[in-house]
Amino acid sequence: MSEQVINEQALLTSATILQLSGEAPEQRRATRLLADLRAGEPVADLLNETKPLGPGRFGAGLEDSAILLAVYSALQAFWKVYLEKLVATGAEKASNLTAALLDKLFEQNLEGSERDKTISEIKKCLEVEAHKRKISQAKLKKLLEAVDKLGKK
């Protein structure tokens, strides 16, 4: 998953959490950083802007900056792991859907106007492999006859 997507999701979720926790100034900063990131600013530059240049009056402002960085960093780590799991799960589901779709399309080809072409292609592939593996002509003939029966009820 792209770092851009992970960084955007981390900032978007950070803004939501900061808003829900009552950290309105930090929520606004996270929202501003997200807009800047989407405008093409490198995330490292944006994060450097959130670091305090020095302690404010009696250290004021240090904790606020730390809050945004802590929330952002935690969510960046979360989104990396979460998206990896999501992609893996999605790939598995897509694979299952693809297999089911392929089965359906293959069945339709065997029952429809594409039957002869499909059977012919299977036979060609089978003949090539049988020749490579030195399968006897008698066995190959039985296999080719079985291919002719595919899809017939």
Side-chain angles (χ1 to χ4, degrees), residues 1-11 37 43 72 76-77 79-81 83-84:
M1 192 61 51
S2 95
E3 285 295 316
Q4 178 75 15
V5 171
I6 290 168
N7 292 333
E8 284 186 28
Q9 285 304 123
L11 283 170
L37 178 66
V43 74
Y72 169 77
Q76 188 181 37
W79 278 106
K80 284 180 182 179
V81 172
L83 289 173
E84 285 176 13

Side-chain angles (χ1 to χ4, degrees), residues 115-131 140-150 152:
R115 177 179 172 67
D116 291 342
K117 183 179 176 184
T118 302
I119 294 295
S120 176
E121 289 174 14
I122 294 170
K123 284 182 171 183
K124 284 178 191 172
C125 292
L126 183 55
E127 287 170 342
V128 167
E129 287 301 315
H131 178 72
L140 176 58
K141 183 179 178 196
K142 283 184 176 182
L143 293 170
L144 294 173
E145 288 171 358
V147 170
D148 281 329
K149 296 176 185 175
L150 282 174
K152 291 186 177 180

Side-chain angles (χ1 to χ4, degrees), residues 3-4 7-8 11 32-47 49 72:
E3 285 295 316
Q4 178 75 15
N7 292 333
E8 284 186 28
L11 283 170
R32 191 171 53 251
L33 289 173
L34 178 60
D36 291 346
L37 178 66
R38 287 178 173 165
E41 293 289 327
V43 74
D45 292 350
L46 296 174
L47 291 176
E49 291 175 15
Y72 169 77

Side-chain angles (χ1 to χ4, degrees), residues 78-129:
F78 164 78
W79 278 106
K80 284 180 182 179
V81 172
Y82 181 77
L83 289 173
E84 285 176 13
K85 288 179 185 176
L86 193 62
V87 167
T89 301
E92 183 178 332
K93 287 181 180 181
S95 175
N96 291 340
L97 290 174
T98 301
L101 179 60
L102 286 175
D103 287 345
K104 183 177 179 176
L105 292 173
F106 183 63
E107 184 179 317
Q108 289 173 352
N109 280 343
L110 291 177
E111 295 172 355
S113 62
E114 295 291 311
R115 177 179 172 67
D116 291 342
K117 183 179 176 184
T118 302
I119 294 295
S120 176
E121 289 174 14
I122 294 170
K123 284 182 171 183
K124 284 178 191 172
C125 292
L126 183 55
E127 287 170 342
V128 167
E129 287 301 315

